[in-house]
Amino acid sequence: MGAARNWQVIGGKESVVRFEIQKQFLAAAVALVAIGLCAPSISAAPSDEKQRKETAAGSEIDPFADLAELPAPQATPEQASRSWRETLLTENFGFRKEVMSQFDMNERGKTASRQSVGFEALKKFSTATATLASFDFQGRLVRRDGFNPVQNDMEGQGRPGWAFEYHNAYLDLYNVLNPLLSDEQRGDTVGRFNLRAGRFYVPFGLNLQTDTHGTVLQLSNDRNFGFERDWYTGFWGAISPDVNYDVYYLAGSGYDLKFKGQSGLGAIRLSLANKYSYEYGLEGGLSILGGERLSPDAITRRRILAVNIGNENRVETKRVGLDGRYRQAVPTGLLTVTSELSGGRDLSSNLFTQLYQAEYLHASRQWGVSTQYRRFQQEGLGADASIIGEISWYFRNDIGNSNLHWIKLNVERQVEQMQGPHSTIATMQYYFYQ
Amino acid sequence: MKSLVMCLMVAVLALPQYAFAAIGCTLSNPAEDLKYLYPEMTTYKEDLNEFPRLKNGAELFSALRERLGSDLDPIYETFETPYTVYSVFKGESKIGVVHGVNVPGKGGVIQVFLSMDPQTAAIRRFFFQRLESPAARQLRSKEFLNQFEGLTLGDFYKHDYYITVDPGAKADKVAAITPPSFDPSGRPDYEASLRGIRKNLILIDFFVYGKKFEPYFERAKQAAEKAKARKE
């Protein structure tokens, strides 16, 4: 800019000035080439000479050298002071609220409604060096008007009107053998011996890994056993880096904890460790369950089978199940396929359960579609089978299931029924959980 | 009865908002995962941190945004989001710190976990718990993950300084990280992963290390301000 200004102002002495300017340009060009050759990093720096010098020096001198000896850290953020009650309800305490509104109708125009408000509370208990236990409770206040056998409300027939329902109610004690072990032994057994007592998903199939509390689509346990949660106690943990285990004694009574002469159920499940889910999108397991349970209400076969043994409450039960789920990212989203297969006996009657499910979730996590085929076949009684299609619109869809908000339309077509006509049931569900 | 039920419903919904935790990021099987990270461990402890329950929580939350250098996601990075810090012990000695965060990626949420040296706050291991991405295989490669070993939040703040004052400086360890080769569609998830690491380090610095790396942040900030002033 300086050269241009001189050119305009000086006018008649053009040639002399031009020569001077050419000399200046030549010198500047040489200097720039030299700088360019010697210090390439400077080329990207600002043109200001002083800054160039600073910058060149910065490449060689650590500008953070004086911070190498870091000042002592400030205290970690203080928790607001609170009473013991506040501590109990705030420290390592999670609380979620839930709202569900569901309307369904069959092809004959029979309508039903379920409205509920619920919550889930999770509290963890710790010492200075270990988390020892956690407690989870999940419940709902429900209002039902009418009933259609929608997958996620098979118990609803027995609870018209207002009801308070509990769902999860269990205590986990972690590393229960620690008080008996040396430090070295504790290290060897960490995560291996955890105790659970209370009410939770039946440890059969994928339900332990899958929270179906809010969804319309369910896995196969409810149809297989007449309940998808039961009261139980036993151990869970990791056998090896590849395999997890669950070993429980179940009351076999379903919703309420009752002992009416049934011996209860023993259940073992071996499943793939979580790393298979994270690294390969794969979950799966082998489940074995056997013993005696109280037969649930509203299952047609109960009456027929009960006649066989003369006691309408107890059903001798044996099951072996194999399950798997594979999740694969596709260019526009996520594809998941799931299958649960199980066979066994109720009394002397053989049965076979199948469930196949495919889900697609768009990459935005704002919408998804699912389809499921499920079939429960029992020797001498025929089969119940359905094909289900579902479309979901998500306002929020957290992968950890801790922040959910959606609307779903679910249509189930019953293609086989042990008893009664085949129905088509359409369900509209609104769900909020945060 | 009806009115009692209605009152209870209203009471549940009317509970203070701060009590309702939003999305957290926890290890699905802490014992198994922590044992894998620290084979010598004997016990571990989980601590839930939530901005609303911290003194000056609102101030810290806005500080997170400033240090992250980008807007916070309204779903995955809210003020109420809980953060679980795992402290790993061998006997009475603390031998590790593990923390995970959610960041939105192209194919869904990305869960970025770091295991840290409890003394130096340097990354010991970086891993994805969940990653649904077209570039998942490349991002999970050991060659890529291992590059973060030994980095601290200080290195990320230094990077801010160098890109302002001295781009290409050899001391810029973050700039030296080589991205894996992936299809262009995987780029957003690569960038989201780097953002997740940075966010994770900032939060651990807040929750565990008492803002130990603040002097680095301040210096980088001053450098950026000077550079901006020069341009003006």
Side-chain angles (χ1 to χ4, degrees), chain A residues 364-375:
Chain A
S364 64
R365 295 183 74 82
Q366 289 186 331
W367 64 270
V369 290
S370 310
T371 184
Q372 186 188 87
Y373 172 75
R374 53 195 290 133
R375 187 169 193 269

Side-chain angles (χ1 to χ4, degrees), chain A residues 110-261:
Chain A
K110 186 182 177 191
T111 58
S113 144
R114 177 165 62 141
Q115 315 301 323
S116 74
V117 174
F119 69 94
E120 181 170 17
L122 175 68
K123 170 74 182 174
K124 296 208 173 195
F125 303 91
S126 303
T127 65
T129 58
T131 296
L132 301 178
S134 69
F135 176 73
D136 187 89
F137 184 86
Q138 191 171 37
R140 284 177 182 154
L141 284 164
V142 187
R143 168 75 199 185
R144 287 189 181 83
D145 293 286
F147 177 76
N148 278 315
V150 176
Q151 262 191 53
N152 68 344
D153 196 26
M154 297 305 281
E155 293 173 335
Q157 189 168 27
R159 294 195 204 117
W162 293 100
F164 179 79
E165 298 175 349
Y166 49 81
H167 297 271
N168 294 349
Y170 66 90
L171 178 72
D172 274 336
L173 299 175
Y174 303 117
N175 303 300
V176 286
L177 300 183
N178 271 7
L180 310 173
L181 303 176
S182 66
D183 263 357
E184 193 178 330
Q185 289 168 324
R186 287 177 187 183
D188 292 339
T189 59
V190 66
R192 288 203 180 165
F193 300 106
N194 307 298
L195 180 81
R196 174 167 296 167
R199 184 171 197 268
F200 196 51
Y201 287 114
V202 173
F204 194 91
L206 286 162
N207 243 151
L208 278 182
Q209 289 107 304
T210 316
D211 187 356
T212 53
H213 185 69
T215 57
V216 183
L217 279 181
Q218 297 286 300
L219 292 166
S220 55
N221 280 344
D222 194 66
R223 186 62 188 88
N224 205 351
F225 303 110
F227 44 79
E228 40 81 65
R229 287 174 169 97
D230 195 10
W231 294 90
Y232 57 88
T233 187
F235 289 92
W236 60 273
I239 290 179
S240 74
D242 298 308
V243 180
N244 292 339
Y245 78 93
D246 291 88
V247 178
Y248 301 113
Y249 166 76
L250 290 76
S253 61
Y255 187 76
D256 288 321
L257 178 59
K258 291 181 286 195
F259 294 98
K260 291 191 172 178

Side-chain angles (χ1 to χ4, degrees), chain A residues 396-415:
Chain A
R396 285 181 181 173
N397 182 18
D398 166 36
I399 204 142
N401 285 339
S402 59
N403 194 342
L404 303 169
H405 192 188
W406 68 55
I407 290 176
K408 285 180 190 284
L409 174 64
N410 177 295
V411 179
E412 174 179 355
R413 173 61 187 165
Q414 296 169 343
V415 291

Side-chain angles (χ1 to χ4, degrees), chain A residues 51 59 63 66 70 73-74 77-78 90 92 96 124 127 129-131 162 183 187 244 273-274 278 399, chain B residues 2 21 28-29 32 35 41-44 46 48 53 55 109 129-130 140 166 206 209-210 216 219 230:
Chain A
Q51 194 187 345
S59 299
D66 59 318
L70 286 168
Q74 299 165 25
E78 280 181 55
T90 55
N92 287 325
R96 311 275 192 275
K124 296 208 173 195
T127 65
T129 58
T131 296
W162 293 100
D183 263 357
N244 292 339
N274 296 333
Y278 306 143
I399 204 142
Chain B
K2 275 186 184 177
S28 289
N29 191 338
E32 185 186 306
K35 181 73 180 169
M41 71 173 284
T42 56
T43 58
Y44 70 93
E46 298 174 27
L48 195 66
R53 293 177 189 169
K55 226 173 191 178
V109 71
Q129 177 166 261
R130 194 171 282 272
R140 284 186 192 277
D166 187 6
F206 286 179
Y209 297 102
Y216 292 88
R219 185 149 303 175
R230 275 194 208 105

